[in-house]
């Protein structure tokens, strides 16, 4: 509780005090902001360990692509999915500082939401705004923040909400359109993913549509375009709430996260006559989620995900960086003392 109150306030206060640096060098400002943001998310990612949970990883090694522009697609079962993926990214080349999250609108009202909003993450309000309005806002957010702030990864939940709320609607849509009925995931919505690819473009295949400020070469090969799409599948040995994820009051849980890395240009590899980029992407996402359904069916039957070669995929863990966490807490203590002194001096000056 103390961490969740102090560190967001310190983050916001430091950004306010650093505004003169932003006027002199925007690049330096956002680099420092990224380090502070990375420190806060390192604290958040440690909560699952403090609660006694075990988070395992399997499949492809995403640490090999931390310096490449990538789009991560996650299934969404509960708010604890965010804490889970934060724990998985902990210690991977300071990738926290180079991410843009696309999250539900309600998250911006939490302490973490204050930090995310300053960092440049996007909050999606689905029920009220039109799709066109949402995509315009998302495109502007990505366009304004991705290149200028040296971001590398965009993290999206294509189902558009928690599985418990989306499953029935997804199944009705599937029956109406003669599609497979899914139990463990909902059919993905392609709007946000399409908007991101339109804005950033895909390396080697697709230049994008919405004003890419880093024009690609003739063959669309450009270091600033999306290179990889990472399918992230989260499986729980039992359902846990966000409170249980942090507190662990019902005992430890085991969470397994499975990765599959695809070259982003695979999405637009084959184009039939009359196919648009949107249809290609929708079909590719549907196929991805049919496979994700099979992965989760295997997981719930066997307690782990399958490997590409058959059998159970080996799992690995990412150790907590205790030295880094200790230094972050020391920095937090110094920050609290500095803040106290600052407000004390202001109070004495005014009164």
């Amino acid at each position: 509780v103390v961490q969740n109150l102090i560190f967001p306030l310190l983050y916001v206060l430091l950004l306010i005090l650093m505004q003169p640096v932003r006027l002199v060098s925007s690049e330096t400002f956002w680099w420092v902001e990224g380090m502070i943001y990375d420190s806060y998310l390192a604290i958040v990612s440690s909560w699952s360990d403090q609660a006694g949970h075990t988070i395992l990883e399997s499949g492809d090694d995403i640490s090999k692509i931390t310096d490449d522009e990538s789009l991560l697609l996650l299934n969404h079962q509960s708010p604890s999915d965010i804490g889970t993926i934060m724990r998985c990214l902990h210690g991977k080349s300071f990738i926290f500082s180079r991410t843009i999250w696309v999250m539900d609108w309600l998250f911006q009202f939490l302490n973490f939401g204050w930090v995310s909003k300053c960092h440049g993450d996007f909050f999606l309000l689905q029920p009220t705004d039109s799709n066109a309005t949402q995509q315009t806002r998302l495109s502007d957010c990505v366009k304004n923040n991705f290149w200028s702030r040296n971001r590398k990864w965009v993290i999206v939940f294509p189902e558009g909400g928690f599985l418990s709320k989306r499953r029935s609607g997804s199944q009705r849509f599937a029956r109406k359109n003669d599609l497979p009925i899914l139990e463990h995931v909902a059919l993905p919505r392609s709007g946000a993913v399409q908007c991101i690819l339109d804005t950033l473009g895909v390396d080697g295949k697709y230049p994008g549509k919405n004003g890419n400020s880093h024009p690609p070469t003739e063959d669309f090969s450009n270091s600033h375009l999306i290179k990889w799409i990472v399918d992230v599948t989260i499986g729980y040995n039992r359902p846990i709430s966000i409170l249980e994820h942090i507190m662990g009051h019902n005992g430890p849980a085991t969470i397994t996260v499975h990765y599959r890395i695809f070259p982003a240009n695979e999405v637009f590899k084959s184009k039939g006559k009359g196919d648009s980029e949107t249809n290609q992407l929708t079909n590719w996402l549907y196929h991805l989620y049919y496979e994700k359904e099979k992965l989760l069916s295997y997981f719930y039957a066997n307690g782990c995900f399958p490997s590409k070669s058959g059998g159970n995929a080996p799992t690995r863990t990412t150790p907590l960086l205790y030295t880094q966490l200790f230094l972050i807490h020391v920095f937090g203590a110094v920050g609290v003392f500095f803040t106290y002194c600052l407000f004390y001096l202001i109070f004495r000056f005014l009164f």
Side-chain angles (χ1 to χ4, degrees), residues 217-246:
T217 58
E218 187 174 344
D219 64 350
F220 305 136
S221 177
N222 186 291
S223 61
H224 296 286
L225 307 182
I226 294 294
K227 293 180 178 63
W228 307 102
I229 293 181
V230 184
D231 173 46
V232 183
T233 306
I234 304 173
Y236 296 85
N237 70 331
R238 61 178 177 82
I240 62 174
S241 64
I242 184 61
L243 184 61
E244 189 178 351
H245 183 95
I246 298 172

Side-chain angles (χ1 to χ4, degrees), residues 300-341:
Y300 291 127
N302 299 278
C304 59
F305 288 101
S307 67
K308 294 179 180 178
S309 57
N312 297 336
T315 57
R316 56 190 181 271
T317 59
T318 300
L320 274 178
L321 302 179
Y322 289 103
T323 301
Q324 180 193 26
L325 292 171
F326 173 75
L327 293 175
I328 291 171
H329 281 87
V330 171
F331 172 79
V334 172
V336 170
F337 178 74
F338 171 78
T339 303
Y340 169 79
C341 293

Side-chain angles (χ1 to χ4, degrees), residues 57-131:
E57 298 175 87
S58 64
D60 296 330
D61 185 2
I62 61 172
S63 64
K64 296 179 179 178
I65 62 168
T66 52
D67 291 325
D68 294 338
E69 287 75 8
S70 305
L71 176 62
L72 277 67
L73 308 178
L74 289 73
N75 62 313
H76 208 6
Q77 301 183 54
S78 76
S80 62
D81 295 338
I82 295 177
T84 296
I85 196 62
M86 285 181 181
R87 177 62 183 87
C88 292
L89 298 184
H90 174 71
K92 290 183 171 64
S93 301
F94 294 99
I95 193 58
F96 282 145
S97 63
R98 296 179 290 169
T99 57
I100 291 179
W101 292 72
V102 180
M103 294 178 286
D104 189 87
W105 179 75
L106 290 175
F107 280 108
Q108 67 182 312
F109 299 108
L110 302 177
N111 295 30
F112 169 69
W114 310 345
V115 176
S116 292
K117 209 167 185 63
C118 294
H119 181 69
D121 296 332
F122 183 79
F123 297 94
L124 189 65
L125 178 60
Q126 297 207 29
T128 55
D129 286 1
S130 67
N131 288 336

Side-chain angles (χ1 to χ4, degrees), residues 181-314:
I181 306 299
L182 307 178
E183 291 291 337
H184 305 306
V185 293
L187 285 171
R189 301 179 176 187
S190 61
V193 178
Q194 181 72 58
C195 180
I196 292 166
L197 296 182
D198 281 347
T199 304
L200 300 179
V202 173
D203 186 56
K205 198 73 176 179
Y206 181 57
K209 297 178 180 179
N210 298 336
N212 189 328
S213 63
H214 294 272
T217 58
E218 187 174 344
D219 64 350
F220 305 136
S221 177
N222 186 291
S223 61
H224 296 286
L225 307 182
I226 294 294
K227 293 180 178 63
W228 307 102
I229 293 181
V230 184
D231 173 46
V232 183
T233 306
I234 304 173
Y236 296 85
N237 70 331
R238 61 178 177 82
I240 62 174
S241 64
I242 184 61
L243 184 61
E244 189 178 351
H245 183 95
I246 298 172
M247 304 297 293
H249 51 277
N250 289 329
T254 300
I255 309 167
T256 307
V257 182
H258 188 73
Y259 308 107
R260 294 186 297 162
I261 301 175
F262 302 94
N265 55 31
E266 278 193 6
V267 177
F268 305 105
K269 182 178 291 184
S270 59
K271 185 175 180 179
K273 186 177 180 180
D275 279 352
S276 65
E277 285 82 5
T278 301
N279 288 336
Q280 279 184 285
L281 177 61
T282 300
N283 293 334
W284 190 87
L285 284 174
Y286 279 5
H287 180 71
L288 185 74
Y289 271 69
Y290 299 155
E291 293 178 344
K292 195 184 284 281
E293 173 78 8
K294 294 177 182 177
L295 288 172
L296 284 167
S297 295
Y298 186 98
F299 173 82
Y300 291 127
N302 299 278
C304 59
F305 288 101
S307 67
K308 294 179 180 178
S309 57
N312 297 336

